[in-house]
Amino acid sequence: MAGRFLSLACIRSENVHGDLSPRPHYPSMPKYPKGVSADEEKIIEGSEAKAVFSVIGMTCSACAGSVEKAVKRLPGIKEAVVDVLNNRAQVLFYPSFVGEELIRETIEDVGFQATLVEDEMAEKSTQVCRIQINGMTCTSCSMTVESALQAVPGVLKAQVALATEEAEIHYDPKVLSSNQLCQTIEDTGFEATLISTGEDKSKIMLKVEGIRTDNSMRIIENSLQALPGVQDINIDPELKKFSLSYKPDLTGPRNFIQVIESTGSGRFKAMIFPEGGGRESSRKEEIRQYYRSFLWSLVFTIPVFLTSMVFMYVPGLKHGLDTKVINMLTVGEVLRWVLSTPVQFIIGRRFYTGSYKALRHGSANMDVLIALGTNAAYFYSVYSVLRAATSPHFKSTDFFETSAMLISFILLGKYLEVLAKGKTSEAIAKLMDLAPETAILLTLDNEGNVIHEEEIDSRLIQKNDIIKIIPGAKVASDGFVIWGQSHVNESMITGESRPVAKRKGDAVIGGTVNENGVLHIKATRIGSEGALSQIVRLVESAQMAKAPVQKFADRISKLFVPLVIFFSFTTWLAWFLAGKFGGYPKSWIPSSMDSFQLALQFGISVMVIACPCALGLATPTAVMVGTGVGASQGVLIKGGQALESAHKVNCIVFDKTGTLTVGKPVVVSTKLLKNLVLREFYELVAAAEVNSEHPLAKAIVEYAKKFREDEENPAWPEAQVFESITGHGVKAVVRNKEIVVGNKSLMLRENILIPIEAVESLEEAEGLAQTGILVAIGGEMVGVLAISDPLKPSAWEVISTLKSMNVKSIMVTGDNWGTANSIAKEVRIDSVIAEAKPEHKAEKVEELQASGYVVAMVGDGINDSPALVAADVGMAIGAGTDIAIEAADIVLMRSNLEDVITAIDLSRKTFSRIRLNYIWALGYNLLGIPIAAGALYPFTGFRLPPWIAGAAMAASSVSVVCCSLLLKNYRRPNRLDNLEIRGITVE
């Protein structure tokens, strides 16, 4: 609930300050400290300096407001503007009163990380681009690409994910471009395709038909360039494609199309450039390629298999195949040679290419093992048949079926693996499909009446457009309702199972489904700014981020292939020497082989059974499926690190307001200690509190509105010299009276006498789990307000469930001890910390960590930011549409406490799946290699032919991916479903 109010606050702010994002308005602050004369002011005026700070941890306009107010309270601040979207604050100040370091410390005291940006443009000196990489087969490939990228000057950070086949690169655009990064990847031997760059935030590609000359193209370019807000235009003359970067506040795609079509007297027609499907089409093409290669390999391999394994036992056919061609060379050997050659060199060409590229960069991958194994079998067979052709006595034994069947089974395995890997990223595909293809655009007159409606491509929506949403249709973009009422199904975004009521002023999320009524909404966030796009980006980033446990596989993969080659050669040599010097009985050698051929078969089997792919896929595939399943249930997990930490959590610190409680406090009683008219009393209190962002202040202002029911938006008296004292309350001068509203410690600090009846009222409120607020006017205590924030109905069951999961629960709050103990008793939490400021919450988290606990902090992501950062796992609850929370590791889209359990349970299930994958991948190699080397042969006579070893290798990768895919069947604990059945779900 709290998240929805905050997100609405973010969405509905529309004042623009320069190039900065919307910000709340606050009453004017004094420019200079008290005591500065008018003459001194004239001297100071004009000496102001400007500083830009990078502020990390802000989530919405409420955060920006808290930073802005804290900075403006400093002496000598002329202006302060905070940009929440770009995480920066711009401050104009007078150096004779305040310095940059003090401003930075003040921002950090609010609970955010602040860094001075020396050059205003330096904040743009880092860009992030995503590149799709085709051709990687195992961890060795991904590490080769990652190492190559990290060695490029200007690259700050590079991550390459094998499971998603993508790279995410943080780089300095002043030093190199995204094209150079693609070239670096291609130089390592893989195909690179740019998916996105940091510049793509507001970018659109248009296809223009009707262009015949270069002059027409220049005219269109000049016309577009003249539009306000157009930043950059790139043209592809061959495809007639225009790529435009623009400021969405000033212009949009419909303007571009209108300009283009009006430029050439109607002969030009513009449309959004048809997308090729990006990574999805690439994935489908890869699947098709492996499928075609496998089918072609079967065309040649089946006859090879039949001539070597089946027809030899059919009398008539055996005679034909054994017919001599030259000397001892038979028809069957010639047929197998001819049929296996295309499989080895044409269909199996990808393995030679992959081996060459890997070896060229000093690494070895799975392709090297396959190429060595199949070449050993093929070229030994070639030697054998050539010797038979030139000798009247030598009877050859060929292994052509080994190389052909090996390649066929590996291609089948790769086909199944790519097919399965595609399913691991279905969560992102489903999220992207939520966006509707079309939208109904309304045109309104000056009085707000609809004069025209038109169906348009949803990608043509511009900021501040009015969109009509009919029953059953998807909401086309983020925005807020300006007319109508309905229920909207948000389950696909937030996981909230019940439709949410929407009326005028309520925020809506793009991609959700309108249930019953007609809504008119005003678009506020479009394209990549929307919640849906941000969720997709967050899930993509999560799937890119490596879990620490992945380092284990990375370390093994560096040595894996060289060790396997060594073991393979050692196996061949040991068996060959043993056979040469009589180390085993002659009866062990099959009738169709000699000791050299038997040793060769063992060596090849060892080489092709070893599988580095299964190890490399063990973690990323499970993380991909786990984060995807979490996203579908409204739990956004930011990558493998968060998953790994969350499964170890054994202590959770809960914030009270908005986390354990509903987060919408209400005034339940008022006790006046002096003869005052209640309406006038609340006018003064509301005038002081309206400037505060605190939930209790908002509750007081909302209650005060009841005394002004005749006005829709009442204007309160102006507050002079407003001051917010964090953790205590507020002070202001209203109508020349000093108003102090806050707790007992604030009154004592201001030397205001607290009468016995006020103390009794406070104790009574605290005993009822209510918060007592004292009000003083003109230095005299005049009233006590009792504010109640009801508990979420499921709170105590959630705490009880956590206890059964061996997780300790602690409550931390800025509220008084009486209220805190009362709430804690109700939810059965034993450990309580009350009257805690934001920094105290972080200190408590660090104390618990020092005691050996793995700590999760659950808060609303605003004043809890320091603790969220300090905790091993930060969970921001009730974030609604405002999902870009830097401080949290896990974002819970709903306000439901049950999702805390879902997050921990899902992380535990995912990590147990990762462990299972590693046990299987390691166990397979540790058992398979000795068996392939002939460890069982002396005792049982069991020997693993190379083609079966190759099939086993292919099956191991597929089995690991399928094991991860089983996570898609995840169901949250039954106890949580029982909470919903009993009707305890919080809306």
Side-chain angles (χ1 to χ4, degrees):
M1 186 72 74
R4 293 197 186 105
F5 280 96
L6 292 174
S7 58
L8 181 56
C10 293
I11 290 170
R12 297 202 60 184
S13 299
E14 293 186 55
N15 296 328
V16 178
H17 297 261
D19 61 342
L20 298 179
S21 60
R23 66 182 185 96
H25 174 71
Y26 299 103
S28 57
M29 305 284 175
K31 289 183 188 176
Y32 316 110
K34 290 177 182 177
V36 175
S37 66
D39 293 334
E40 286 174 312
E41 282 188 21
K42 288 176 184 176
I43 297 167
I44 295 164
E45 191 68 48
S47 67
E48 65 263 24
K50 184 175 84 170
V52 178
F53 298 87
S54 166
V55 184
I56 304 299
M58 296 189 295
T59 63
C60 64
S61 59
C63 299
S66 59
V67 172
E68 196 169 311
K69 285 194 293 181
V71 172
K72 281 186 171 181
R73 283 200 297 269
L74 291 171
I77 300 294
K78 181 178 181 182
E79 183 60 276
V81 180
V82 180
D83 179 3
V84 71
L85 292 181
N86 295 312
N87 292 319
R88 68 174 188 170
Q90 184 173 294
V91 184
L92 285 175
F93 64 98
Y94 298 101
S96 52
F97 294 109
V98 67
E100 293 164 344
E101 184 58 24
L102 180 58
I103 298 170
R104 189 191 66 77
E105 287 175 1
T106 302
I107 296 172
E108 295 206 330
D109 287 343
V110 180
F112 303 102
Q113 186 182 331
T115 313
L116 178 67
V117 180
E118 298 294 341
D119 174 10
E120 193 174 339
M121 293 306 290
E123 193 63 14
K124 296 182 181 178
S125 65
T126 301
Q127 274 189 9
V128 182
C129 76
R130 298 172 73 86
I131 298 173
Q132 185 180 317
I133 305 169
N134 293 331
M136 294 192 297
T137 57
C138 63
T139 317
S140 180
C141 302
S142 59
M143 289 182 68
T144 301
V145 177
E146 199 169 289
S147 301
L149 288 168
Q150 285 174 341
V152 177
V155 171
L156 308 173
K157 180 185 174 188
Q159 282 184 316
V160 178
L162 175 64
T164 57
E165 296 182 336
E166 287 179 16
E168 184 176 272
I169 306 145
H170 298 246
Y171 67 101
D172 187 344
K174 296 173 186 174
V175 179
L176 76 165
S177 67
S178 54
N179 290 336
Q180 288 171 286
L181 293 169
C182 288
Q183 189 58 50
T184 301
I185 293 169
E186 289 182 351
D187 288 344
T188 61
F190 301 98
E191 189 182 325
T193 310
L194 186 67
I195 298 172
S196 65
T197 69
E199 301 166 331
D200 293 343
K201 194 150 191 178
S202 295
K203 192 171 185 176
I204 193 161
M205 290 179 285
L206 299 175
K207 183 176 183 178
V208 183
E209 294 177 350
I211 295 176
R212 298 186 184 88
T213 63
D214 290 343
N215 188 46
S216 300
M217 202 165 280
R218 277 196 299 275
I219 291 169
I220 292 172
E221 183 183 5
N222 292 336
S223 301
L224 290 170
Q225 201 75 61
L227 282 173
V230 173
Q231 294 172 307
D232 188 36
I233 302 176
N234 289 314
I235 302 170
D236 186 332
E238 290 182 18
L239 298 175
K240 306 288 190 290
K241 181 170 80 171
F242 288 72
S243 301
L244 297 99
S245 298
Y246 61 96
K247 292 181 179 178
D249 291 324
L250 300 176
T251 188
R254 288 203 313 281
N255 296 354
F256 306 147
I257 290 173
Q258 187 182 353
V259 165
I260 291 168
E261 293 184 348
S262 62
T263 298
S265 305
R267 81 166 185 270
F268 300 133
K269 184 162 179 59
M271 66 192 80
I272 291 179
F273 195 84
E275 295 176 1
R279 76 199 81 182
E280 192 56 35
S281 64
S282 174
R283 177 86 71 190
K284 285 177 181 174
E285 179 57 33
E286 189 180 14
I287 290 169
R288 279 196 297 269
Q289 280 179 6
Y290 275 116
Y291 183 65
R292 281 198 301 266
S293 297
F294 173 62
L295 288 183
W296 274 110
S297 72
L298 284 184
V299 169
F300 296 101
T301 302
I302 289 173
V304 172
F305 172 75
L306 292 173
T307 56
S308 62
M309 304 281 188
V310 179
F311 294 163
M312 302 308 292
Y313 302 100
V314 180
L317 293 172
K318 183 179 187 308
H319 177 73
L321 292 171
D322 285 345
T323 304
K324 304 289 188 294
V325 179
I326 304 171
N327 290 327
M328 297 297 287
L329 179 65
T330 65
V331 171
E333 288 165 351
V334 173
L335 276 174
R336 287 193 290 275
W337 188 6
V338 170
L339 288 168
S340 63
T341 300
V343 179
Q344 182 70 35
F345 297 108
I346 298 173
I347 297 167
R349 183 179 58 193
R350 66 175 69 239
F351 302 119
Y352 286 101
T353 308
S355 303
Y356 167 71
K357 289 171 179 176
L359 293 170
R360 194 180 68 176
H361 289 90
S363 64
N365 60 8
M366 190 194 76
D367 292 334
V368 173
L369 296 178
I370 295 168
L372 283 172
T374 55
N375 277 337
Y378 179 84
F379 285 109
Y380 174 77
S381 302
V382 170
Y383 158 76
S384 183
V385 297
L386 288 177
R387 188 174 171 188
T390 55
S391 168
H393 308 293
F394 179 78
K395 181 171 172 51
S396 77
T397 303
D398 65 86
F399 299 138
F400 285 122
E401 82 285 349
T402 295
S403 70
M405 290 172 72
L406 198 53
I407 287 171
S408 296
F409 275 113
I410 288 165
L411 288 172
L412 172 63
K414 291 303 289 182
Y415 166 68
L416 294 174
E417 183 188 317
V418 173
L419 208 60
K421 273 164 67 179
K423 292 185 184 297
T424 61
S425 57
E426 275 183 357
I428 290 179
K430 283 179 182 174
L431 281 169
M432 294 173 84
D433 286 343
L434 290 177
E437 292 184 2
T438 60
I440 300 172
L441 177 69
L442 300 180
T443 306
L444 308 182
D445 61 17
N446 293 334
E447 294 175 3
N449 300 313
V450 177
I451 55 175
H452 178 66
E453 63 178 63
E454 173 191 4
E455 189 172 20
I456 61 167
D457 189 312
S458 61
R459 292 170 294 178
L460 295 176
I461 295 174
Q462 298 179 185
K463 209 164 187 177
N464 299 324
D465 277 346
I466 308 300
I467 306 295
K468 179 182 178 181
I469 315 294
I470 59 174
K474 291 179 179 177
V475 177
S477 78
D478 289 13
F480 60 90
V481 178
I482 61 166
W483 180 88
Q485 57 184 29
S486 179
H487 284 79
V488 175
N489 182 355
E490 297 182 344
S491 61
M492 62 291 294
I493 300 289
T494 66
E496 179 64 71
S497 56
R498 301 180 184 184
V500 180
K502 300 290 180 183
R503 54 182 60 86
K504 185 177 178 181
D506 288 346
V508 290
I509 310 170
T512 54
V513 179
N514 184 22
E515 295 272 314
N516 42 27
V518 176
L519 296 174
H520 292 179
I521 68 158
K522 187 171 189 175
T524 54
R525 295 182 183 180
I526 54 168
S528 59
E529 293 179 348
L532 186 59
S533 296
Q534 290 187 49
I535 291 171
V536 170
R537 269 203 305 276
L538 193 148
V539 175
E540 283 177 341
S541 296
Q543 295 181 346
M544 284 293 302
K546 287 183 180 178
V549 72
Q550 176 70 24
K551 292 173 185 173
F552 169 69
D554 291 347
R555 282 196 296 269
I556 291 176
S557 70
K558 287 179 182 177
L559 304 170
F560 190 89
V561 175
L563 277 174
V564 168
I565 294 170
F566 172 75
F567 289 146
S568 175
F569 178 75
T570 306
T571 300
W572 168 79
L573 189 63
W575 277 99
F576 175 65
L577 292 175
K580 192 83 172 168
F581 298 107
Y584 57 81
K586 294 283 185 187
S587 60
W588 286 12
I589 304 173
S591 58
S592 59
M593 296 186 191
D594 58 22
S595 61
F596 176 84
Q597 292 166 341
L598 180 65
L600 184 64
Q601 286 248 331
F602 282 128
I604 292 170
S605 293
V606 169
M607 194 169 293
V608 297
I609 200 170
C611 184
C613 299
L615 274 172
L617 292 169
T619 300
T621 52
V623 169
M624 279 182 74
V625 180
T627 51
V629 167
S632 69
Q633 301 212 9
V635 177
L636 301 181
I637 302 169
K638 294 186 178 180
Q641 173 78 58
L643 264 175
E644 186 163 342
S645 300
H647 98 278
K648 299 174 186 172
V649 165
N650 54 15
C651 177
I652 298 186
V653 178
F654 288 96
D655 176 47
K656 179 179 76 73
T657 308
T659 303
L660 291 172
T661 62
V662 173
K664 196 180 178 187
V666 289
V667 176
V668 290
S669 70
T670 309
K671 182 168 185 179
L672 295 179
L673 307 177
K674 300 287 179 186
N675 289 324
L676 286 169
V677 177
L678 204 56
R679 176 184 169 118
E680 290 177 5
F681 168 78
Y682 268 106
E683 269 199 7
L684 295 172
V685 175
E689 291 281 27
V690 75
N691 299 310
S692 174
E693 290 290 319
H694 198 281
L696 297 182
K698 290 181 178 180
I700 293 170
V701 174
E702 280 301 312
Y703 188 75
K705 286 179 182 178
K706 292 181 180 178
F707 299 96
R708 304 274 289 271
E709 285 182 345
D710 50 322
E711 302 173 48
E712 190 174 342
N713 288 306
W716 305 108
E718 187 179 353
Q720 304 289 333
V721 201
F722 172 81
E723 185 182 358
S724 174
I725 300 100
T726 307
H728 296 285
V730 299
K731 286 168 56 182
V733 175
V734 181
R735 291 177 180 164
N736 296 320
K737 296 175 183 175
E738 187 180 50
I739 314 293
V740 181
V741 185
N743 56 21
K744 195 191 296 183
S745 59
L746 178 61
M747 299 303 161
L748 295 173
R749 186 178 125 173
E750 296 294 319
N751 297 318
I752 296 169
L753 183 67
I754 304 173
I756 296 294
E757 50 193 319
V759 174
E760 289 173 352
S761 296
L762 280 178
E763 288 172 354
E764 183 186 343
E766 288 168 9
L768 296 169
Q770 296 168 355
T771 303
I773 304 290
L774 299 170
V775 180
I777 298 175
E780 194 177 5
M781 186 71 58
V782 296
V784 182
L785 312 181
I787 297 178
S788 174
D789 184 6
L791 266 178
K792 288 180 178 174
S794 59
W796 77 265
E797 276 108 340
V798 169
I799 302 301
S800 172
T801 304
L802 287 170
K803 279 181 182 173
S804 69
M805 295 168 70
N806 296 318
V807 178
K808 178 185 173 78
S809 298
I810 293 173
M811 187 181 83
V812 61
T813 177
D815 214 335
N816 61 74
W817 278 100
T819 304
N821 284 324
S822 183
I823 292 281
K825 188 177 178 182
E826 212 171 323
V827 294
R828 301 173 192 176
I829 289 178
D830 301 323
S831 303
V832 183
I833 297 112
E835 298 179 7
K837 293 182 181 179
E839 59 270 24
H840 295 156
K841 294 179 183 180
E843 286 168 12
K844 181 60 186 176
V845 166
E846 286 162 4
E847 281 174 27
L848 289 165
Q849 288 168 328
S851 304
Y853 286 104
V854 178
V855 183
M857 171 71 195
V858 185
D860 58 14
I862 300 168
N863 59 342
D864 300 312
S865 291
L868 286 168
V869 173
D872 296 287
V873 181
M875 295 188 193
I877 191 168
T881 57
D882 192 28
I883 63 106
I885 293 186
E886 293 291 335
D889 302 297
I890 297 175
V891 181
L892 309 178
M893 295 292 286
R894 301 181 286 182
S895 293
N896 289 8
L897 265 180
E898 301 96 287
D899 288 343
V900 173
I901 296 170
T902 303
I904 293 174
D905 185 63
L906 177 60
S907 66
R908 288 181 178 181
K909 293 277 194 335
T910 304
F911 220 76
S912 68
R913 190 69 56 179
I914 290 171
R915 282 200 197 98
L916 190 62
N917 283 347
Y918 272 126
I919 290 168
W920 168 248
L922 283 171
Y924 162 81
N925 283 298
L926 292 173
L927 286 173
I929 291 173
I931 291 170
L936 300 178
Y937 191 59
F939 315 107
T940 63
F942 176 76
R943 179 171 58 86
L944 204 64
W947 61 272
I948 293 179
M953 184 268 278
S956 70
S957 295
V958 177
S959 60
V960 162
V961 179
C962 290
C963 184
S964 294
L965 280 172
L966 290 175
L967 267 174
K968 291 177 82 173
N969 300 321
Y970 170 79
R971 294 289 177 271
R972 62 191 199 149
N974 290 333
R975 287 185 68 169
L976 300 187
D977 294 326
N978 294 339
L979 291 185
E980 289 201 349
I981 290 166
R982 296 206 302 273
I984 306 178
T985 302
V986 179
E987 288 194 38

